[in-house]
């Protein structure tokens, strides 16, 4: 029997280009007007896309804008 390999969470969309510096979770929280803990919870549950750089999570402005637009469409 071949053991199953655990795959890491893949981002829902990969930005084609960086539209500025990568944002830390606290900076994303300010832009979204939420608590930093909400950002971490949303990433952990897969509700907010992120870029993983090693153990760190980062965001782009475009990624957050796209996520907000998708929320308005729903």
């Amino acid at each position: 029997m071949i053991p199953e390999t655990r795959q890491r969470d893949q981002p829902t969309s990969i930005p084609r280009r960086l539209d500025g510096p990568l944002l830390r979770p606290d900076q994303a929280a300010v832009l979204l007007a939420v608590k930093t803990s909400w950002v971490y919870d949303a990433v952990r549950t897969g509700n907010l896309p992120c870029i993983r750089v090693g153990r760190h999570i980062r965001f782009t402005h475009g990624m957050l804008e796209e996520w907000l637009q998708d929320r308005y469409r729903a």
Side-chain angles (χ1 to χ4, degrees), residues 33-46:
V34 297
K35 293 183 178 183
T36 304
S37 60
W38 183 92
V39 172
Y40 283 109
D41 288 340
V43 167
R44 183 179 46 79
T45 59

Side-chain angles (χ1 to χ4, degrees), residues 9-60:
D9 295 335
Q10 297 296 321
T12 54
S13 64
I14 298 173
R16 293 184 184 163
R17 62 179 176 80
L18 294 178
D19 55 353
L22 293 175
L23 303 172
R24 297 183 316 263
D26 61 313
Q27 295 169 318
V30 169
L31 288 174
L32 297 174
V34 297
K35 293 183 178 183
T36 304
S37 60
W38 183 92
V39 172
Y40 283 109
D41 288 340
V43 167
R44 183 179 46 79
T45 59
N47 292 323
L48 184 63
C50 71
I51 298 170
R52 293 192 182 272
V53 181
R55 295 178 7 181
H56 305 281
I57 58 174
R58 296 293 184 258
F59 308 88
T60 64

Side-chain angles (χ1 to χ4, degrees), residues 52-71:
R52 293 192 182 272
V53 181
R55 295 178 7 181
H56 305 281
I57 58 174
R58 296 293 184 258
F59 308 88
T60 64
H61 281 275
M63 177 186 289
L64 296 174
E65 289 172 359
E66 183 179 323
W67 180 81
L68 282 173
Q69 288 175 353
D70 289 345
R71 293 289 168 241

